[in-house]
């Protein structure tokens, strides 16, 4: 072990994370600052999710696109977790392709997104 490595006695022990965030007057290390730094990102995700939800209701996107976004999966990450090619996942974001998926493929997506096939098909 060199001087830069750190070991923890308990395998489940997590190293403390020091969060910095710019508060206008300099960097702050307060817990409130962590919340304040994450909140705008979550707000943006919620706004994008609402836009995607409307597109699903309009029939321009499949429910898979909405659920992937709300679970913060992009196409590449969803492809990696499901073992389905990125181009194929992208096609499944189209409602006409998604509606033709077999139960085995839907189950792969449902497992990754931790939901049932019925929940995956609906928003």
């Amino acid at each position: 072990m060199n001087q830069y490595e750190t070991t923890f006695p308990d395998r489940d022990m997590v190293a403390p994370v020091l969060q910095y965030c710019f508060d206008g007057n300099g960097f702050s290390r307060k817990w409130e600052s962590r919340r304040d730094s994450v909140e705008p990102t979550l707000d943006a995700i919620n706004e994008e999710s609402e836009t995607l939800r409307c597109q699903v209701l309009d029939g321009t996107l499949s429910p898979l696109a909405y659920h992937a976004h709300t679970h913060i999966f992009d196409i590449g990450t969803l492809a990696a977790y499901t073992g389905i090619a990125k181009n194929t996942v992208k096609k499944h974001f189209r409602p006409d392709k998604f509606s033709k998926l077999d139960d085995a493929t839907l189950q792969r997506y449902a497992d990754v997104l931790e939901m049932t096939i019925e929940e995956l098909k609906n928003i």
Side-chain angles (χ1 to χ4, degrees):
M1 177 168 72
N2 65 37
Q3 63 182 351
Y4 301 107
E5 290 178 331
T6 303
T7 59
F8 294 98
D10 182 24
R11 179 183 161 161
D12 296 327
M13 185 176 191
V14 177
V17 176
L18 188 56
Q19 298 282 330
Y20 290 96
C21 132
F22 188 71
D23 65 4
N25 298 321
F27 286 98
S28 173
R29 298 186 328 189
K30 298 178 185 175
W31 282 106
E32 300 87 39
S33 297
R34 180 178 181 198
R35 184 193 67 232
D36 293 342
S37 66
V38 172
E39 214 166 83
T41 303
L42 294 177
D43 290 343
I45 290 170
N46 288 336
E47 287 176 23
E48 291 170 14
S49 295
E50 183 59 28
T51 301
L52 290 175
R53 189 177 84 67
C54 291
Q55 289 177 335
V56 171
L57 294 175
D58 290 341
T60 56
L61 278 179
S62 74
L64 177 61
Y66 172 79
H67 291 300
H69 183 76
T70 58
H71 287 80
I72 313 177
F73 278 99
D74 61 7
I75 290 173
T77 307
L78 187 58
Y81 274 78
T82 59
I84 299 171
K86 287 190 331 186
N87 287 340
T88 305
V89 172
K90 189 174 181 178
K91 286 179 188 176
H92 294 165
F93 278 22
R94 294 177 27 201
D96 58 328
K97 301 293 184 187
F98 180 78
S99 65
K100 296 176 185 175
L101 292 178
D102 61 6
D103 283 347
T105 305
L106 290 171
Q107 190 62 54
R108 288 168 75 177
Y109 286 124
D111 288 344
V112 168
L113 297 171
E114 298 179 343
M115 58 179 49
T116 65
I117 291 176
E118 287 306 312
E119 291 171 330
L120 179 63
K121 289 181 177 181
N122 299 302
I123 58 168

